[in-house]
Amino acid sequence: MSLYRFKISSVCRNYSQAAAAVSNKSHPQGNAVDQKIPSFAKSLFVGNFVKTAFARSTKEVDLPKLDKLYGVCVPKEFGGLELSSASLSEAYKRIDFADLREGIAHGSVVKCISTTGTDEQKRNYLPLLASGECIASYCIYESKHGYDIQSNETTASQKNGKWIINGSKQWVMNGKRANMFLVLAKTMDECNRPESEQNFFTAFLVKKSQNSGIKITTEGNHYNVTFNNVEADCILGSENEGLNYFTMFFNGDLLESSSATLGEIKNIVQKSSQHFQTHDRSSMIKLGKLNSHLYTMDCVLEFTSLILDTYNPKSDYEPILARLFVSETTHSCLNLLNDLGLSKKSFKYIENSLLFEGRSNLLPIVGSLLGIQYAGQFMADDVKQLRNPLMFPKYTLSHIMKIQRSLKDKPKLNHYIEKHLHPSLKKQALDLEYCLSRFQFGVLNMFINLGPDTCYYQMILDRANSIAMDLFAMAAVLHRVSQKLSNSNAQLYPTELIFANVFCNSVREQCSRRVNEILDAPHNVVDPHYKTIGQNCFVEKNYFFEHPLKRNIF
């Protein structure tokens, strides 16, 4: 599908332009990082552990029975439920997976209106959206350009004081059922010139009617929507600032989609559990791994919701890590289910939904860029000194000592995380500290070795994001287990300790390996070699077909 034919650099540029955490955007305190509410996940890149976030306690979710999820994100003053992140996650765990796309598309538009809409727009649209009388969807992407929305061709121009939209959008969810669309269209034609290297977009709300000029066609599970001189109802947000909505739609549904994925996997396992063969050791080990995967995914989503509800509701990196962890772990669960003899027909739908999710290749890069941008502000002085060792001999000497400890695999541990956990988890707390110290050392050396070109080494960024994802998951598991053990007699929960021990051992091993690969970058990493082999493969293939007489035939 052409949806996936995009340049990652273009997408990340679009994302950075829209996100609040771009590297060239000033912070509230000049160039300093805001220390009032430090990011839990981003702090992992600098070896910090935000204990204030970790000390929060989760509460049981009292979720009302919901037939549809139309009003879950709508503020109460407009007739919605305005659920917390924890309740929203629980609601999507219970949703029928077939209704996921509809709920996500509708909810994403609701969030945009609630966040950027005027008071009049909120009064006009949100009550209808909350009741389900009006069903919404968004029209953002185009077939030729995928996620590279800077190249989109749908335009909006003013005629007689009204905005008229022309163009076509693809991969629209709820296309048939929706009676209102949020459309991203190119505006300010006089500025949309190739030499400017920048296009301007505006977000419009468009209601569907029989004579509106909107044509909808079906394509698989999605719809194509064509606008032919369609009059927009209103502008959402500010004119020529539509790129902000790229960020909202790119990561606005991560918690919901992750929760629905976990809920679907749990349903599949529950329905199929009676057919599993448990008479041999191999099957029991696979079932143990499956159960461990479900547990860790639950911990990650619970911890992510906790951060969004009680610590920092504007956290942007934690939902990315949660989505990536759930997607990766779900693939492992499906492989285990297949090994246990479950027919692929039983999980074909969820497997396809993961396979054709366009963000899967982008999220690790976007996430790591958020992390290293945050780390760069902390480490700027350190990197400057280490790249000029003769001018800063004292600091260089201390770094050499760190290198020696790293080579001996004995990093300095000084976070005392065990003080914030149940005493039974001291060993796991030390594992987390070990990984934090190693990760910080790896990120610092990544800046030193790669310099300003760090953001271009996609495979190295992917490794950094994978480490952050595992550390975030480790923190989530330890948070849940520590709470369980602290609230009851430890003897009642021996399985909790087993979960924590197994997962922490696995993460420590993976972290050490990935940090070593970062330290060896760029010369001793195998990814460039695979790229060369791949290029040679295509060269040889073309030569084979273009010069059949020159082949050696045996």
Side-chain angles (χ1 to χ4, degrees):
M1 293 175 64
S2 57
L3 172 63
Y4 308 110
R5 298 173 190 158
F6 48 74
K7 294 181 180 179
I8 289 182
S9 58
S10 299
V11 177
C12 292
R13 182 184 70 244
N14 296 338
Y15 185 93
S16 298
Q17 290 174 346
V22 294
S23 56
N24 60 358
K25 193 164 185 173
S26 61
H27 286 257
Q29 301 174 355
N31 291 326
V33 177
D34 186 4
Q35 297 286 358
K36 294 181 180 178
I37 309 181
S39 168
F40 184 91
K42 293 176 187 176
S43 293
L44 300 174
F45 278 76
V46 294
N48 288 343
F49 190 77
V50 183
K51 301 176 180 68
T52 51
F54 198 70
R56 307 298 171 97
S57 299
T58 55
K59 299 179 181 179
E60 288 193 19
V61 176
D62 185 18
L63 187 67
K65 186 176 180 180
L66 300 170
D67 294 328
K68 294 291 183 180
L69 304 181
Y70 297 129
V72 292
C73 297
V74 178
K76 292 181 179 179
E77 61 180 305
F78 300 108
L81 296 175
E82 197 174 357
L83 295 182
S84 65
S85 296
S87 298
L88 190 65
S89 177
E90 188 62 31
Y92 271 88
K93 287 178 187 176
R94 303 177 187 180
I95 191 177
D96 185 345
F97 202 73
D99 298 331
L100 174 62
R101 296 178 183 277
E102 176 183 314
I104 283 179
H106 183 88
S108 296
V109 176
V110 167
K111 289 178 184 178
C112 290
I113 296 175
S114 299
T115 303
T116 63
T118 64
D119 291 339
E120 182 181 0
Q121 289 171 347
K122 293 176 183 178
R123 288 194 300 269
N124 289 341
Y125 297 113
L126 290 181
L128 299 176
L129 293 169
S131 65
E133 182 178 347
C134 182
I135 298 176
S137 188
Y138 54 84
C139 300
I140 303 292
Y141 307 112
E142 299 180 9
S143 60
K144 293 181 180 179
H145 313 294
Y147 283 106
D148 187 11
I149 60 174
Q150 276 279 8
S151 303
N152 281 2
E153 300 173 4
T154 299
T155 61
S157 55
Q158 282 191 319
K159 294 181 181 179
N160 300 323
K162 298 179 181 179
W163 285 98
I164 305 300
I165 300 175
N166 284 281
S168 182
K169 298 288 185 178
Q170 282 74 40
W171 303 290
V172 178
M173 295 178 280
N174 296 352
K176 287 287 187 182
R177 294 197 60 198
N179 39 35
M180 184 175 76
F181 296 110
L182 189 155
V183 184
L184 194 65
K186 189 184 297 185
T187 46
M188 281 187 68
D189 291 337
E190 66 276 11
C191 296
N192 288 326
R193 296 170 181 166
E195 59 270 19
S196 70
E197 296 185 355
Q198 184 178 8
N199 292 328
F200 293 84
F201 295 85
T202 302
F204 298 92
L205 292 178
V206 179
K207 279 192 174 181
K208 184 170 66 175
S209 63
Q210 291 182 348
N211 300 319
S212 62
I214 297 176
K215 180 182 178 182
I216 299 174
T217 56
T218 304
E219 184 176 336
N221 295 327
H222 301 86
Y223 298 91
N224 299 332
V225 181
T226 302
F227 300 89
N228 184 15
N229 293 322
V230 176
E231 181 181 329
D233 286 69
C234 61
I235 289 177
L236 187 60
S238 302
E239 185 178 334
N240 301 317
E241 294 187 1
L243 280 180
N244 292 328
Y245 295 91
F246 176 72
T247 302
M248 293 186 186
F249 287 110
F250 187 81
N251 62 10
D253 65 331
L254 295 174
L255 180 64
E256 293 93 321
S257 59
S258 303
S259 302
T261 301
L262 175 57
E264 181 69 6
I265 284 290
K266 283 185 173 181
N267 288 336
I268 293 172
V269 172
Q270 185 177 9
K271 292 177 182 177
S272 308
S273 58
Q274 58 184 345
H275 302 296
F276 293 149
Q277 301 294 327
T278 58
H279 60 276
D280 59 66
R281 179 185 178 87
S282 176
S283 296
M284 289 301 295
I285 291 175
K286 290 171 184 174
L287 285 172
K289 289 181 179 180
L290 184 62
N291 195 21
S292 179
H293 288 333
L294 295 175
Y295 182 84
T296 52
M297 284 192 283
D298 235 338
C299 291
V300 167
L301 291 178
E302 181 183 88
F303 192 56
T304 304
S305 301
L306 179 69
I307 290 176
L308 295 174
D309 284 335
T310 67
Y311 178 66
N312 187 359
K314 296 182 180 180
S315 296
D316 53 353
Y317 192 24
E318 286 80 358
I320 290 177
L321 293 180
R323 180 58 191 164
L324 286 171
F325 184 82
V326 168
S327 296
E328 183 178 303
T329 311
T330 298
H331 281 297
S332 299
C333 289
L334 297 180
N335 290 333
L336 287 168
L337 290 171
N338 188 46
D339 291 343
L340 287 165
L342 188 64
S343 171
K344 280 201 171 187
K345 293 181 180 179
S346 304
F347 52 83
K348 184 178 180 180
Y349 188 79
I350 189 171
E351 187 176 49
N352 289 340
S353 71
L354 293 173
L355 181 63
F356 294 106
E357 184 181 23
R359 293 178 299 185
S360 58
N361 293 325
L362 294 174
L363 282 175
I365 307 301
V366 170
S368 57
L369 289 175
L370 291 175
I372 65 169
Q373 183 271 331
Y374 184 88
Q377 297 170 71
F378 277 94
M379 297 179 174
D381 291 337
D382 295 337
V383 173
K384 180 181 178 180
Q385 293 179 64
L386 291 171
R387 300 198 85 179
N388 298 276
L390 297 179
M391 295 180 63
F392 304 97
K394 185 177 179 180
Y395 188 84
T396 303
L397 182 61
S398 68
H399 186 70
I400 292 174
M401 295 177 65
K402 288 182 181 179
I403 293 176
Q404 292 299 319
R405 286 198 298 268
S406 176
L407 292 174
K408 295 178 182 179
D409 203 23
K410 293 182 179 179
K412 191 174 181 180
L413 309 180
N414 54 9
H415 289 290
Y416 305 104
I417 297 175
E418 69 270 13
K419 293 182 178 180
H420 302 271
L421 295 172
H422 190 273
S424 303
L425 296 170
K426 182 176 180 179
K427 187 264 181 188
Q428 288 77 15
L430 292 175
D431 285 341
L432 179 54
E433 283 203 51
Y434 166 85
C435 293
L436 281 170
S437 297
R438 291 284 288 160
F439 189 31
Q440 178 201 22
F441 185 73
V443 171
L444 181 60
N445 280 272
M446 179 172 63
F447 285 138
I448 295 169
N449 295 337
L450 305 180
D453 295 332
T454 299
C455 60
Y456 298 111
Y457 288 89
Q458 295 173 9
M459 293 303 179
I460 303 303
L461 294 179
D462 184 71
R463 284 172 172 80
N465 186 78
S466 295
I467 297 172
M469 179 185 72
D470 285 342
L471 295 186
F472 182 71
M474 184 191 288
V477 170
L478 294 181
H479 181 270
R480 157 89 71 93
V481 174
S482 182
Q483 269 199 318
K484 288 278 189 180
L485 296 175
S486 299
N487 294 337
S488 302
N489 186 340
Q491 296 300 320
L492 297 178
Y493 290 96
T495 308
E496 304 286 338
L497 286 172
I498 295 174
F499 277 130
N501 191 47
V502 168
F503 187 71
C504 291
N505 285 340
S506 172
V507 169
R508 177 172 175 141
E509 181 182 343
Q510 292 178 22
C511 175
S512 180
R513 173 174 54 81
R514 285 170 176 156
V515 168
N516 286 335
E517 290 174 347
I518 290 176
L519 294 176
D520 289 339
H523 305 295
N524 296 329
V525 179
V526 298
D527 299 308
H529 302 307
Y530 282 127
K531 181 180 178 182
T532 302
I533 293 172
Q535 290 173 339
N536 290 340
C537 239
F538 284 106
V539 170
E540 291 176 5
K541 181 179 179 182
N542 291 336
Y543 181 84
F544 185 85
F545 285 108
E546 291 175 6
H547 305 278
L549 297 179
K550 295 182 180 181
R551 292 177 296 172
N552 290 324
I553 302 176
F554 298 95

